[in-house]
Amino acid sequence: MTTSPASSSPSVGDEPTKRLAVLIDADNAQAAVIEALLEEVARFGEATVRRIYGDFTSPASASWKKFLNKHSIKPLQQFAYTTGKNATDSAMIIDAMDLLYTRRFDGFCLVTSDSDFTGLAVRLREEGLQVFGFGEQKTPEPFRNACHKFIFTEVLRTPDVATISGKPAAGGAIVAEASHKSEVAPSSISRPPFPEKFLMEALDKSVDDAGWANLGTFGSYLQKIQPDFDSRIYGYKKLSDLVRDRPDLFATEERPTPSSNYKVLYVRANTGV
């Protein structure tokens, strides 16, 4: 039997590939993660438009230059009109609205840690488009919650030291342990306490009458109520790794899919029964 990689990641299946516009705020994004970021975008659809906005005559934007041609990212030069004012934000928002009204896109990827783009994310959602946000952990909560899915760019950094697994200790702290499940460098991200209460409450709302939830259904519900939830923050590459590694909280069961060789992972609360 072949076991499918059960997780909360989007599945392409037989659906047409989503056309995405990737808009990058050079003033509030880091060039070091762009390769991994574009790979992440590919999980959701095709980046048919790739644009970056900033003042590329500024030393602060110099790190972007070597990535632009390599990844076919179109730079939009924006000089500052006056000291202390960010003209880049306005240029990016105006361009996003122009692209929106072409009706050629299924979604937008907004790469920024700036809360000034919250209104843009809300407007895009109102038009029925998918909004994926990418930013650092410092990104304000309103912008994160305005996106359908928000990915912390810290989890996209290439690990340069031993990876770790989120094992709970007294007081909810995270204890570092060698593990194949993590792809996040410990030094690159601040790990919050393990969200046991949140996960169990979400699972309770995802289960069927028998108390079981398809892992995909569980993952989709987690994303809807907390767009920035990401198992990688807690040291797990996939949601399936997280639930399997916490038998004190979750019971899991693989079920065969009719007319296929794949198995689907189901999860329920471990009640000890």
Side-chain angles (χ1 to χ4, degrees):
M1 286 289 189
T2 301
T3 302
S4 64
S7 71
S8 59
S9 302
S11 176
V12 176
D14 295 326
E15 297 181 2
T17 302
K18 288 183 170 62
R19 294 169 59 90
L20 303 175
V22 180
L23 309 182
I24 305 170
D25 174 11
D27 296 338
N28 286 285
Q30 293 189 341
V33 300
I34 191 60
E35 294 183 354
L37 188 149
L38 291 175
E39 290 176 1
E40 190 79 6
V41 169
R43 296 173 57 229
F44 305 112
E46 179 185 358
T48 55
V49 165
R50 304 177 183 185
R51 298 181 183 178
I52 185 169
Y53 305 80
D55 182 0
F56 299 101
T57 65
S58 168
S61 299
S63 60
W64 282 103
K65 294 179 181 178
K66 66 179 181 180
F67 293 100
L68 302 186
N69 286 337
K70 180 178 179 181
H71 297 288
S72 300
I73 301 172
K74 180 180 179 180
L76 280 299
Q77 172 64 31
Q78 182 60 54
F79 293 102
Y81 294 127
T82 185
T83 303
K85 299 295 183 180
N86 193 346
T88 299
D89 291 4
S90 298
M92 182 167 156
I93 291 171
I94 292 171
D95 214 13
M97 297 307 294
D98 287 342
L99 292 171
L100 166 65
Y101 291 126
T102 67
R103 306 299 180 188
R104 294 188 292 113
F105 299 95
D106 302 299
F108 281 72
C109 299
L110 305 178
V111 185
T112 181
S113 301
D114 192 340
S115 63
D116 289 346
F117 293 97
T118 302
L120 174 61
V122 171
R123 183 69 181 88
L124 295 171
R125 287 187 64 143
E126 289 176 346
E127 289 291 325
L129 300 182
Q130 291 283 305
V131 182
F132 304 100
F134 295 81
E136 298 178 334
Q137 282 187 291
K138 66 181 182 181
T139 305
E141 188 175 13
F143 176 61
R144 302 201 311 260
N145 290 337
C147 301
H148 288 95
K149 175 69 176 175
F150 187 88
I151 296 95
F152 292 115
T153 53
E154 286 90 348
V155 305
L156 304 177
R157 299 181 187 279
T158 303
D160 54 3
V161 293
T163 56
I164 68 174
S165 173
K167 292 285 189 178
I174 300 297
V175 178
E177 265 189 18
S179 172
H180 68 285
K181 296 171 184 173
S182 173
E183 58 180 16
V184 183
S187 60
S188 69
I189 191 168
S190 174
R191 295 196 189 282
F194 189 81
E196 178 178 335
K197 182 179 178 181
F198 166 69
L199 288 171
M200 302 313 294
E201 289 178 351
L203 178 60
D204 183 61
K205 293 178 173 61
S206 305
V207 297
D208 57 22
D209 292 340
W212 289 91
N214 179 298
L215 188 71
T217 302
F218 179 37
S220 296
Y221 187 76
L222 289 173
Q223 180 179 313
K224 288 178 182 177
I225 60 177
Q226 187 172 318
D228 60 1
F229 176 80
D230 194 325
S231 59
R232 291 171 293 186
I233 297 175
Y234 307 99
Y236 298 92
K237 186 176 181 180
K238 298 180 294 185
L239 180 59
S240 57
D241 292 330
L242 185 153
V243 298
R244 285 184 171 121
D245 200 47
R246 294 301 306 269
D248 57 317
L249 300 178
F250 306 103
T252 60
E253 180 179 281
E254 290 186 350
R255 301 179 184 178
T257 303
S259 304
S260 77
N261 292 325
Y262 289 99
K263 291 183 178 179
V264 177
L265 186 65
Y266 281 75
V267 61
R268 67 169 173 83
N270 187 356
T271 58
V273 178

